[in-house]
Amino acid sequence: MKNKLQNYFPMIRTQGEVLSELRENTKLWKTFCEWEGKYQQEYLDICTGVKGVKLLYDTYFKAIMNPDTRPERLNDFLSEILGKKVKILKVLTNESAQIAAESSLLIMDIVVQFEDGSIANVEVQKIGYLFPGQRSACYSSDLLLRQYKRVRAELGQGFTYRKIQKVYTIVLFEKSNSDFSNFSKEIYIHHFEQKSDTGVEMNLLQEYTFICLDIFGDIIQNEDRKIENRLEEWLVFLSQDDPDMIIKLLNQNADFQEIYEEVYTICLNMERMMEMFSKELAILDRNTVKLMIDEMEEEVVEAKRKADEAVRKADEAERKADEAVRKADEAESRAKQAEHREKQAREEVDNLKKELEKMKNI
């Protein structure tokens, strides 16, 4: 019996057919057997259409959205995000990937230059809290500086700062941080740019777009929720691997039929497919280690914070104890002084009484 996606894409094979081809190739079968059971099943589910391909992962994304070979697709996607028509002029070498990846789980990263000279960096981050606003600003600034150096070198004496174009930082979060979810569970896309508090306008060049795919997924998977626009169609295509969501998209816009056919044609090339999947598993392993390190670092920071707080409270308690001792000493001293004054007063009274008695006897 065909599964749902096999009814739309007849080239999708059964699990038996996939396993049979793997067994016939010693190298591929060896690679397959080295994977954990859950990854073996995931691979089979993708190849057989039990679930869709995770198209936001680097190797799959570049296979079908390569700006060198299929620029119209990425042009359309970025135009929808930025809200204006853009056309990719060229792909830039991303010399700054380390900034993005230092403490984050980077899934996909691509830097493109548009016809007007502006630059867009498109990234997918697995976990949003590891890619905060500060890191986004640093990354954007780095791209801006790279553009400045390149344009200045190209123009020489003809350079002016007006030649520097906008830099767009576009980050798609698989799992967004609480800043977004606490703000709204209904809004999944956020645009940022620098503005004056007085209304005066200046082109400060840097703009940011953050797309929360987890919030989008919760919204779009509502049974009664329609895919409302072209951007949502792209986000469903790129982020959803649920066959029902894929079919929902295909029924709404047949344009994506051709791209999905390209995806499942890739799945027919078992050697290429296994190479791509193996690369993603390697990235996953590296990212898992990185996540563990990041989480351990956070635990160390939190433990240090708690230790510092405990020391602060201990110091405060000691200060209060010292203050209490000081006050007690002062009270004791005042009590002794009062006792001494009282003794002196009694002696003075006794002396006065004796003097009075002498006066009576005269």
Side-chain angles (χ1 to χ4, degrees):
M1 180 179 175
K2 292 184 177 181
N3 62 42
K4 294 177 181 179
L5 289 180
Q6 283 174 322
N7 290 323
Y8 284 78
F9 306 102
M11 75 278 286
I12 294 178
R13 293 173 295 178
T14 65
Q15 180 168 307
E17 290 171 332
V18 173
L19 286 172
S20 177
E21 181 174 342
L22 288 175
R23 290 191 182 97
E24 290 173 3
N25 187 311
T26 304
K27 179 182 176 182
L28 298 184
W29 182 247
K30 180 177 182 295
T31 299
F32 181 78
C33 291
E34 288 173 349
W35 295 341
E36 291 183 35
K38 62 180 180 180
Y39 295 131
Q40 291 179 350
Q41 191 58 54
E42 181 177 353
Y43 177 80
L44 292 173
D45 287 346
I46 290 172
C47 290
T48 59
V50 173
K51 66 178 183 179
V53 179
K54 292 183 177 179
L55 295 173
L56 272 178
Y57 282 74
D58 192 70
T59 53
Y60 301 119
F61 183 89
K62 288 177 179 175
I64 59 165
M65 299 285 285
N66 191 323
D68 290 321
T69 58
R70 303 306 298 264
E72 72 281 359
R73 293 175 181 172
L74 196 55
N75 284 338
D76 189 27
F77 177 52
L78 295 178
S79 294
E80 292 300 324
I81 291 177
L82 298 176
K84 66 175 185 177
K85 194 72 174 177
V86 297
K87 185 176 181 180
I88 295 171
L89 176 65
K90 60 183 176 180
V91 182
L92 302 179
T93 302
N94 192 354
E95 301 166 354
S96 307
Q98 183 61 31
I99 293 178
E102 277 175 355
S103 296
S104 57
L105 298 188
L106 184 65
I107 297 174
M108 184 269 293
D109 180 41
I110 189 169
V111 179
V112 294
Q113 182 181 2
F114 299 134
E115 282 185 319
D116 64 359
S118 59
I119 295 174
N121 169 241
V122 186
E123 299 188 355
V124 179
Q125 294 288 337
K126 193 170 183 64
I127 300 179
Y129 79 84
L130 296 176
F131 199 87
Q134 295 92 328
R135 190 172 298 278
S136 303
C138 290
Y139 198 52
S140 174
S141 298
D142 188 73
L143 287 174
L144 190 61
L145 182 59
R146 285 175 55 199
Q147 182 190 176
Y148 162 78
K149 290 179 178 178
R150 176 174 50 80
V151 174
R152 182 148 198 159
E154 290 173 355
L155 299 180
Q157 294 296 320
F159 171 82
T160 71
Y161 281 97
R162 293 187 184 277
K163 299 293 186 180
I164 304 298
Q165 301 298 320
K166 280 187 178 291
V167 170
Y168 302 94
T169 300
I170 301 167
V171 183
L172 294 90
F173 293 126
E174 269 206 339
K175 184 179 180 181
S176 54
N177 64 43
S178 58
D179 291 339
F180 297 109
S181 57
N182 290 341
F183 177 77
S184 173
K185 290 182 171 55
E186 301 296 326
I187 301 173
Y188 63 86
I189 185 166
H190 303 266
H191 297 285
F192 294 79
E193 59 183 293
Q194 295 163 305
K195 290 187 176 181
S196 164
D197 61 351
T198 63
V200 65
E201 294 185 2
M202 292 185 69
N203 185 6
L204 296 178
L205 297 177
Q206 293 166 285
E207 296 188 16
Y208 308 83
T209 300
F210 299 99
I211 301 176
C212 306
L213 296 174
D214 51 346
I215 296 176
F216 172 74
D218 291 339
I219 294 171
I220 205 66
Q221 287 175 15
N222 187 313
E223 190 172 326
D224 299 324
R225 174 65 154 77
K226 294 182 179 180
I227 304 173
E228 294 183 346
N229 52 50
R230 183 70 169 175
L231 177 57
E232 289 195 349
E233 290 174 357
W234 274 114
L235 294 180
V236 168
F237 172 73
L238 292 171
S239 68
Q240 298 294 306
D241 60 3
D242 179 2
D244 289 329
M245 286 303 306
I246 294 173
I247 292 169
K248 186 176 182 179
L249 173 61
L250 293 174
N251 290 338
Q252 175 163 319
N253 190 337
D255 289 350
F256 289 95
Q257 178 84 24
E258 177 187 347
I259 313 180
Y260 275 118
E261 286 178 355
E262 192 174 317
V263 171
Y264 285 110
T265 299
I266 292 174
C267 291
L268 293 176
N269 185 335
M270 197 62 62
E271 187 167 352
R272 182 184 180 191
M273 187 65 182
M274 290 202 77
E275 181 181 341
M276 293 169 69
F277 194 78
S278 294
K279 183 177 179 180
E280 292 305 328
L281 290 184
I283 294 171
L284 178 63
D285 288 342
R286 186 169 66 249
N287 284 345
T288 300
V289 171
K290 183 63 180 171
L291 176 59
M292 291 174 63
I293 293 172
D294 287 331
E295 288 180 338
M296 288 174 64
E297 287 178 348
E298 286 205 347
E299 289 176 3
V300 169
V301 170
E302 179 63 14
K304 185 178 183 303
R305 186 193 66 78
K306 289 181 178 179
D308 290 343
E309 180 67 11
V311 170
R312 187 192 66 76
K313 289 181 177 179
D315 289 342
E316 179 68 12
E318 184 177 358
R319 186 191 65 77
K320 289 181 177 179
D322 290 342
E323 181 69 11
V325 169
R326 185 187 64 78
K327 289 182 177 179
D329 290 342
E330 288 179 353
E332 183 179 0
S333 176
R334 287 195 297 270
K336 287 181 178 179
Q337 289 174 4
E339 183 180 352
H340 178 68
R341 287 195 295 270
E342 182 184 0
K343 182 179 179 181
Q344 286 180 325
R346 283 199 300 267
E347 289 176 351
E348 288 178 6
V349 169
D350 290 340
N351 290 333
L352 287 171
K353 284 181 179 180
K354 289 178 181 178
E355 290 295 326
L356 183 60
E357 286 296 327
K358 288 179 180 180
M359 291 177 66
K360 285 181 180 179
N361 294 327
I362 293 176

